[in-house]
Amino acid sequence: ARPWRANPGLAHVGRTLRGLESLSPAGVWPGWRDAEGALLSGAGRSVTFVLTDLHERSSEIRAALRKLSVLGHDVGVLHVAGRRELEFDYGDDLVFEELETGRTLDVSGTAVREHYLASLEATLRALELELGDQRIEYTRIRLDTPLDAALRQPLALRLRH
């Protein structure tokens, strides 16, 4: 999890997008002490977008977002999710591995699909409400959406103000 800091203004949007596209997912979210310097560098309030799959060990991403919001920063979450994660169109005999912990789970995809989708919908609805209550904008982005298209709405809202 490496922060990418954009300069203000439209001229830097393309550079920011290229910077984001060059990043590779790796590691775990740093603790607040490690992330604080990168997230709070610079004077005054900032606009901070966190591009994440929101897979957490213990709410560490949401805790950092909450701290930024409480400090008066404009915070947005860009929640990245894959089509299969959102639609769960798997067949039988699956083995899922949690990348953060290495834990595995053997399941029948067809047997758990309905329960999974209902649980996912409830979880995402609760997450969106939780973040909204903390003045944190939530945007879900499918992995197959081009990055510039995914960022267009959240950025456009802020450029108007």
Side-chain angles (χ1 to χ4, degrees):
R2 186 180 81 186
W4 176 262
R5 194 168 271 298
N7 293 319
L10 284 174
H12 299 285
V13 172
R15 194 177 106 203
T16 300
L17 290 173
R18 285 188 299 280
L20 287 170
E21 288 175 342
S22 71
L23 295 176
S24 297
V28 297
W29 184 268
W32 176 251
R33 289 180 192 218
D34 294 329
E36 181 179 18
L39 292 172
L40 296 178
S41 65
R45 293 185 211 159
S46 66
V47 175
T48 302
F49 288 99
V50 175
L51 183 66
T52 176
D53 61 10
L54 281 172
H55 293 286
E56 305 172 280
R57 288 179 187 239
S58 60
S59 303
E60 62 275 7
I61 297 171
R62 288 177 291 152
L65 297 170
R66 190 171 35 256
K67 286 179 185 180
L68 288 170
S69 181
V70 166
L71 291 171
H73 297 273
D74 182 356
V75 182
V77 173
L78 304 172
H79 179 196
V80 183
R83 180 188 60 78
R84 295 193 101 180
E85 180 180 359
L86 295 171
E87 297 173 8
F88 204 82
D89 62 350
Y90 298 102
D92 287 327
D93 300 327
L94 300 171
V95 177
F96 287 102
E97 179 180 358
E98 186 178 59
L99 296 177
E100 290 79 10
T101 65
R103 189 180 76 175
T104 62
L105 180 64
D106 297 320
V107 298
S108 164
T110 54
V112 300
R113 182 175 193 272
E114 187 176 322
H115 175 55
Y116 170 85
L117 291 174
S119 177
L120 177 66
E121 182 180 336
T123 298
L124 293 177
R125 188 175 34 240
L127 175 67
E128 195 168 355
L129 288 171
E130 173 192 338
L131 294 172
D133 287 347
Q134 297 166 14
R135 296 184 336 266
I136 299 169
E137 181 184 352
Y138 173 84
T139 304
R140 188 174 317 123
I141 301 171
R142 283 179 53 138
L143 282 173
D144 56 0
T145 304
L147 188 56
D148 61 331
L151 295 177
R152 190 170 291 127
Q153 181 185 357
L155 289 175
L157 290 172
R158 283 155 179 87
L159 291 173
R160 283 189 221 136
H161 299 291

